[in-house]
Amino acid sequence: DIQMTQSPSSLSAFVGDRVTITCRASQSISNYLNWYQQKPGKAPEPLIYAASTLRSGVPSRFSGGGSGTDFTLTISSLQPEDFATYYCQQSYNTLSFTFGPGTKVD
Amino acid sequence: DVQVVESGGGLVQPGGSRRLSCSGSGFTVSSDYMGWVRQAPGKGLEWVSSIYSGDDTYYADSVKGRFTISRDSSKNTLSLQMHSLRAEDTAVYYCARLSVYYFDDSESYYFDFWGQGTLVTVSS
């Protein structure tokens, strides 16, 4: 199975800060990497798919990058509603998806 | 608007069984690609199972042989039948639709619409 790691596991930031979260795959997954945001008590919501494609309706302050094994999620100017936990997910192996452990932004 | 709704969660004794159901509006649950993702209390997301066309189904190793994903076309619902439940199966179970995208001429997916989740607690 493809293992996913994220760093940091948590970070503290202020409104207006630029925030970058890193996701790493245990093998090359090309650009088959998706990002989700989850707020407490809520279901995850998709932000980005194919490593860098913003899902419709997601604010442009979110961006994704990377390919192969190393990926990033960047929030250019953190807003109050962005305090949440962020998960990456590989979809290279569509028979067995795996999520990263999450990064909590508070 | 697309909506996904799960039901069927509750308290189950270890070794017991439970059936979760998922219905949707704004899309066809019984024909779209679908999946189940779970989240143990205070933990991260874990993919559980996916269903594609026909009987093309896949499972995480942790549930293989114990869980079965299926559709009911007549009711437009998705189900997850769970047997031999263990304490470590305690989690909120989310039903989610898989949306197709293409990159480098290859097909892949991401979970685009999620239900609110249903809690399964395995305890005596």
Side-chain angles (χ1 to χ4, degrees):
Chain A
D1 279 0
I2 300 172
Q3 307 303 316
M4 307 299 294
T5 58
Q6 288 182 235
S7 60
S9 55
S10 65
L11 66 91
S12 294
F14 294 95
V15 171
D17 283 352
R18 181 181 181 88
V19 170
T20 298
I21 297 167
T22 297
C23 176
R24 179 165 289 173
S26 60
Q27 67 179 71
S28 177
I29 58 171
S30 183
N31 281 45
Y32 299 106
L33 191 283
N34 311 313
W35 289 97
Y36 301 85
Q37 176 194 69
Q38 186 180 34
K39 297 179 181 177
K42 300 292 187 181
E45 293 189 358
L47 297 173
I48 287 169
Y49 60 92
S52 60
T53 302
L54 214 59
R55 188 188 184 221
S56 176
V58 173
S60 59
R61 62 181 179 272
F62 290 94
S63 64
S67 66
T69 59
D70 295 317
F71 302 87
T72 57
L73 172 69
T74 299
I75 309 171
S76 60
S77 177
L78 194 69
Q79 297 301 300
E81 60 269 29
D82 301 337
F83 291 97
T85 300
Y86 294 86
Y87 294 93
C88 61
Q89 175 232 336
Q90 67 79 19
S91 55
Y92 177 83
N93 180 356
T94 59
L95 309 186
S96 180
F97 298 115
T98 43
F99 289 88
T103 295
K104 184 176 182 180
V105 177
D106 58 22
Chain B
D1 267 11
V2 172
Q3 276 197 315
V4 179
V5 179
E6 306 94 340
S7 60
L11 179 63
V12 188
Q13 291 201 335
S17 299
R18 197 81 179 182
R19 187 178 187 89
L20 305 182
S21 293
C22 172
S23 62
S25 59
F27 71 104
T28 307
V29 170
S30 56
S31 61
D32 279 8
Y33 297 164
M34 300 291 297
W36 290 93
V37 176
R38 69 184 180 183
Q39 186 169 36
K43 302 297 184 183
L45 302 172
E46 179 188 17
W47 169 76
V48 173
S49 180
S50 299
I51 186 166
Y52 298 101
S53 304
D55 295 328
D56 199 15
T57 59
Y58 300 93
Y59 302 91
D61 287 345
S62 58
V63 307
K64 202 172 293 182
R66 301 187 298 122
F67 289 13
T68 302
I69 190 172
S70 62
R71 307 180 204 266
D72 185 332
S73 299
S74 64
K75 297 180 182 177
N76 193 30
T77 58
L78 178 75
S79 294
L80 185 69
Q81 178 67 55
M82 306 183 292
H83 294 297
S84 303
L85 284 163
R86 308 164 180 165
E88 54 266 35
D89 295 319
T90 295
V92 173
Y93 285 74
Y94 294 102
C95 172
R97 190 182 78 165
L98 282 162
S99 180
V100 179
Y101 68 87
Y102 294 89
F103 182 81
D104 273 355
D105 296 323
S106 291
E107 183 175 292
S108 190
Y109 318 96
Y110 72 98
F111 293 103
D112 65 347
F113 291 101
W114 298 61
Q116 82 289 350
T118 187
L119 176 62
V120 175
T121 302
V122 183
S123 174
S124 55

